[in-house]
């Protein structure tokens, strides 16, 4: 099986992809990270994903095995981040894959995987992999935060795209007249005004 892993993305770029997905539906994505501390990534992702997915975000650890994780998935309606797969072997992934009918979600799922975990999943969970499709991304911690220059470049792009100024966007957000496109949510986050995003 040949798996296409997209070029490395930052959290910001990944969130843009999430924002462009349908709000409803069993949409699975995966972030592959070699970072030793995936907890930081999970925390950062949970904090900002709710803005782009426009719903509550749940985080579930896979450390207790496939059966327990499946039970947890069935008992929550939240958009989910699943992580801590490092102890899973081929049997865990095969079992998880066999329970796929119980894993169908009304909302999306993001898997946080190490390269080793991803390799095992690709080999022993073909149905999960088919759900992911092309939504498998490599994540580099060094790209997690945009520099001041990168933030300004992105803001300039957004201004050109919309024909609006930063102050106009803030005024529209305060008046609750901002269009629902995810680009405007990103704009407010870049201006450190995420508090104005309607939940």
């Amino acid at each position: 099986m040949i798996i296409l892993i997209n070029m490395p993305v930052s959290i910001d770029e990944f969130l843009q992809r999430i924002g462009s997905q349908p709000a409803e539906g069993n949409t699975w994505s995966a972030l592959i990270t070699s970072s030793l501390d995936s907890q930081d990534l999970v925390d950062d992702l949970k904090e900002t994903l709710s803005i782009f997915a426009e719903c509550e975000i749940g985080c579930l650890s896979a450390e207790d095995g496939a059966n327990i994780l499946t039970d947890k998935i069935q008992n929550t309606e939240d958009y989910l981040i699943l992580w801590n797969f490092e102890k899973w072997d081929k049997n865990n992934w095969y079992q998880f894959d066999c329970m796929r009918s119980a894993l169908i979600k009304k909302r999306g799922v993001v898997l946080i995987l190490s390269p080793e975990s991803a390799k095992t999943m690709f080999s022993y969970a073909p149905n999960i992999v088919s759900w992911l499709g092309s939504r498998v991304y490599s994540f580099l911690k060094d790209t997690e935060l945009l520099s001041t220059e990168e933030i300004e470049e992105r803001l300039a792009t957004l201004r050109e795209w919309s024909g609006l100024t930063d102050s106009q966007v803030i005024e529209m957000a305060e008046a609750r007249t901002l269009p629902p496109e995810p680009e405007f949510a990103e704009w407010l986050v870049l201006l450190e005004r995420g508090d104005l995003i309607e939940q």
Side-chain angles (χ1 to χ4, degrees):
M1 180 184 295
I2 298 175
I3 303 298
L4 176 63
I5 299 178
N6 289 287
M7 292 294 289
V9 296
S10 66
I11 281 187
D12 302 281
E13 292 166 327
F14 179 69
L15 289 170
Q16 285 302 302
R17 288 162 171 79
I18 294 292
S20 67
Q21 295 171 5
E24 300 290 326
N26 190 48
T27 305
W28 289 52
S29 305
L31 274 179
I32 300 174
T33 175
S34 56
S35 171
L36 294 177
D37 191 0
S38 56
Q39 177 72 62
D40 285 345
L41 174 57
V42 171
D43 292 343
D44 289 345
L45 195 56
K46 180 180 181 182
E47 183 178 339
T48 51
L49 185 56
S50 61
I51 296 169
F52 288 81
E54 298 182 344
C55 62
E56 292 297 316
I57 306 299
C59 294
L60 300 178
S61 170
E63 62 183 340
D64 294 323
N67 281 326
I68 293 177
L69 180 61
T70 302
D71 288 341
K72 290 178 180 177
I73 291 172
Q74 286 183 290
N75 290 322
T76 177
E77 291 296 314
D78 294 345
Y79 199 115
L80 293 177
I81 299 172
L82 308 181
W83 70 295
N84 214 358
F85 290 95
E86 281 62 47
K87 295 180 181 178
W88 279 34
D89 58 15
K90 61 183 182 181
N91 295 320
N92 289 118
W93 279 111
Y94 178 75
Q95 186 178 16
F96 194 56
D97 200 60
C98 288
M99 294 186 286
R100 62 190 177 277
S101 62
L103 302 175
I104 295 175
K105 296 284 295 174
K106 292 181 181 178
R107 290 176 169 159
V109 176
V110 177
L111 302 175
I112 306 295
L113 303 168
S114 66
E116 295 76 17
S117 298
K119 184 177 179 180
T120 308
M121 178 189 70
F122 293 151
S123 299
Y124 297 100
N127 294 293
I128 301 297
V129 171
S130 71
W131 283 351
L132 292 169
S134 62
R135 294 180 299 276
V136 180
Y137 306 96
S138 175
F139 174 77
L140 294 179
K141 188 172 179 60
D142 290 344
T143 67
E144 181 176 343
L145 298 175
L146 295 177
S147 67
T148 303
E149 292 76 14
E150 289 170 330
I151 289 174
E152 187 51 46
E153 286 176 8
R154 181 59 183 157
L155 286 171
T157 301
L158 290 169
R159 293 177 195 121
E160 183 178 353
W161 164 75
S162 67
L164 299 170
T165 65
D166 295 346
S167 59
Q168 286 174 318
V169 169
I170 290 174
E171 287 172 9
M172 291 170 71
E174 290 174 337
R176 297 184 178 276
T177 59
L178 203 59
E181 283 82 4
E183 286 83 0
F184 289 106
E186 179 196 9
W187 198 333
L188 290 171
V189 170
L190 292 175
L191 293 174
E192 298 184 353
R193 290 307 310 269
D195 58 297
L196 293 176
I197 297 172
E198 290 188 60
Q199 297 295 329

